Amino acid sequence: MRLRHTVATALSALTLALALPASPAGAATGPFTYVYNDSNGAPHVGALVDPPSQTCITLPEVGGDWLPPAHSPRNYTSSTATVFTGAGCTGDYFSLRPHGGHGSERLKLRSVVFS
């Protein structure tokens, strides 16, 4: 009787685990967007979709000091996004709340980390 109860419990746990939605472990879910200018000064929108958590991400379009920084970040991820003025998560920083936190054109950034 005890073995039958243990097997039933194990099968129930397996069924529950398979029914849960899959999401990347250690990732913020959703998009994070920002605006950057190309070499001609034309604005473009960059995006990070489902970025990893606890990892500094230098935005590829603005990583070099000779390039103008990005601006106008929008955080639609499930995690707090902390944006930095320097590459490699250095310099001044500002935190954007999850699910809609945003900054204006005055908020400059080159890198970001998600909680």
Side-chain angles (χ1 to χ4, degrees):
M1 182 69 168
R2 185 177 295 179
L3 178 61
R4 189 178 318 161
H5 185 266
T6 303
V7 170
T9 302
L11 286 175
S12 296
L14 177 62
T15 302
L16 179 61
L18 292 175
L20 293 175
S23 65
T29 54
F32 174 84
T33 64
Y34 52 93
V35 177
Y36 67 95
N37 295 328
D38 65 18
S39 59
N40 296 321
H44 297 276
V45 176
L48 303 173
V49 179
D50 297 338
S53 295
Q54 307 297 323
T55 301
C56 179
I57 301 169
T58 297
L59 305 177
E61 302 89 351
V62 299
D65 288 336
W66 63 92
L67 299 167
H71 58 85
S72 306
R74 304 266 186 246
N75 182 25
Y76 295 107
T77 71
S78 58
S79 299
T80 298
T82 303
V83 298
F84 294 83
T85 57
C89 295
T90 60
D92 293 334
Y93 61 91
F94 186 81
S95 294
L96 302 171
R97 65 181 169 77
H99 307 293
H102 61 278
S104 72
E105 190 174 319
R106 295 183 325 204
L107 181 57
K108 308 300 184 190
L109 65 143
R110 292 187 189 278
S111 57
V112 61
V113 66
F114 297 88
S115 63

